[in-house]
Amino acid sequence: MPYVLGNVAGLALVMGTLVSGVRWLTTGQPPRMLGPTVARAQTWRASRRPASEPIPPILLAMELSRLAAHIRRVEAGDQPRKAERLMAARLAYDHALRDYCRAVDIPVPTAIRGLSREQRFHMESALIGAGHDW
């Protein structure tokens, strides 16, 4: 009987560990017992990482211009999966637009995915109003 209880306890421990591991992989939150160790490791890794250099606004303007031309080509073209191509191009444009606005100190909306047409219009208007073009 003690042998069976030992196996059940071992199986429960293994299952609990697997569930905690899967939860960590899917949510990004480590198990409670590993929390302080993971936090120290992340702090150490962040201190060893070199600071990234900001991208000059002129390069961001060139990228924005290239992506705008790409969007126009996708809209005018008749390649397969046009909707997916257009969505990907607009997401890339939105990302570059946000980076450009951040580089020139223009407030950026906190959208997780792409920007709405209104947000995009306001950001483009703010850039043009500040004397930037692409």
Side-chain angles (χ1 to χ4, degrees):
M1 187 72 169
Y3 179 74
V4 173
L5 291 177
N7 284 342
V8 171
L11 182 61
L13 180 67
V14 168
M15 292 302 291
T17 303
L18 286 174
V19 168
S20 294
V22 168
R23 187 177 302 130
W24 187 5
L25 288 174
T26 57
T27 64
Q29 294 182 346
R32 271 185 274 161
M33 291 184 68
L34 293 178
T37 305
V38 170
R40 279 193 305 263
Q42 288 173 341
T43 303
W44 178 79
R45 189 178 73 200
S47 69
R48 308 239 335 140
R49 183 177 296 150
S52 62
E53 294 183 23
I55 298 173
I58 188 69
L59 292 178
L60 294 169
M62 291 170 65
E63 179 67 6
L64 211 54
S65 175
R66 184 190 71 78
L67 289 168
H70 180 69
I71 289 172
R72 287 191 294 273
R73 275 195 313 273
V74 170
E75 286 174 341
D78 59 346
Q79 292 181 340
R81 297 189 177 177
K82 185 175 180 178
E84 285 108 3
R85 291 173 188 272
L86 195 56
M87 184 179 61
R90 283 189 180 141
L91 285 173
Y93 181 85
D94 292 346
H95 185 73
L97 185 62
R98 281 191 204 127
D99 288 346
Y100 191 17
C101 286
R102 282 188 198 108
V104 295
D105 296 326
I106 293 176
V108 177
T110 56
I112 295 174
R113 293 189 180 194
L115 300 170
S116 68
R117 289 181 181 177
E118 183 179 330
Q119 289 172 327
R120 195 177 298 124
F121 175 76
H122 287 303
M123 290 173 69
E124 291 170 344
S125 299
L127 280 172
I128 291 170
H132 300 280
D133 62 346
W134 57 97

